[in-house]
Amino acid sequence: MAIMGNPKYEARINQHLAKYETKRSAVMPLLFIAQEEYGWVNPDGINEVAQILNLDPTQVKSIAGFYTMYSEKPKGKYWLQVCTDLPCALKGADEFHAWLKEELGVQEGGTSGDGLFTVDHVMCLAACDKAPMMQCNFRYVENLDQDKTRELLAMWRAEAAQPDNGRG
């Protein structure tokens, strides 16, 4: 599938284009749409965003490469980013992060065998008072422990098994 000409994204793309005086200013929201569609900012997504905005693909790729919220390699359907900055670490985030990787059978930045979960550590998600916490596809889940996290993993597995389990 593609983002260009896709009715699923057309209104959102047009909404972003209408927000800005110059088209190139919509590069970041369009990169999010490409990442949503493909699961990462791949060469097809880079080229599509460049074409929509009348930019050189190298310009779009440089922006995607600069910001950590864009992944330039494939990720699982659920991108789990655990905050391990000092305040969270003091509340058990390092141990939680290690447990989560073990629970899913992955190394840092790795994806589970079923392709569903990628685990990364990040620095400061600004929810220190709710640690251990993580974001899943940029949505916060907070005050985590092993039981709550196992419930979330089961919920996301069930969600992924639904017939319409595409990325967007």
Side-chain angles (χ1 to χ4, degrees):
M1 186 55 78
I3 64 171
M4 288 179 55
N6 185 333
K8 181 164 85 172
Y9 301 118
E10 188 175 342
R12 285 173 52 200
I13 290 170
N14 289 333
Q15 179 184 18
H16 289 301
L17 292 174
K19 257 195 273 191
Y20 301 103
E21 193 172 315
T22 60
K23 286 173 90 171
R24 72 180 295 124
S25 297
V27 68
M28 292 182 70
L30 268 55
L31 281 169
F32 274 118
I33 292 172
Q35 182 164 274
E36 178 182 327
E37 174 61 26
Y38 296 110
W40 60 299
V41 180
N42 67 10
D44 290 339
I46 296 277
N47 289 331
E48 288 181 80
V49 170
Q51 187 175 349
I52 292 168
L53 301 176
N54 299 319
L55 295 173
D56 186 280
T58 305
Q59 292 175 299
V60 176
K61 183 168 177 39
S62 70
I63 293 166
F66 179 78
Y67 292 99
T68 59
M69 68 269 235
Y70 303 115
S71 177
E72 293 187 279
K73 64 179 189 171
K75 298 279 187 199
K77 180 174 177 65
Y78 302 96
W79 186 8
L80 308 178
Q81 296 175 295
V82 179
C83 181
T84 57
D85 208 1
L86 181 59
C88 289
L90 292 172
K91 292 183 77 176
D94 287 334
E95 294 84 1
F96 174 79
H97 179 240
W99 170 82
L100 181 61
K101 291 186 299 184
E102 185 177 319
E103 180 77 7
L104 293 171
V106 301
Q107 298 295 318
E108 178 63 24
T111 300
S112 58
D114 58 9
L116 290 179
F117 302 101
T118 299
V119 179
D120 286 312
H121 77 92
V122 294
M123 298 309 244
C124 197
L125 292 172
C128 308
D129 60 322
K130 304 221 176 20
M133 61 84 58
M134 67 181 168
Q135 60 180 359
C136 174
N137 298 347
F138 302 105
R139 290 185 179 91
Y140 281 20
V141 286
E142 303 164 330
N143 300 310
L144 294 170
D145 60 27
Q146 292 179 7
D147 291 336
K148 183 175 180 179
T149 304
R150 282 189 185 107
E151 289 175 17
L152 288 167
L153 295 172
M155 178 189 75
W156 290 323
R157 284 183 177 111
E159 178 184 276
Q162 296 300 310
D164 182 17
N165 63 0
R167 288 209 177 264

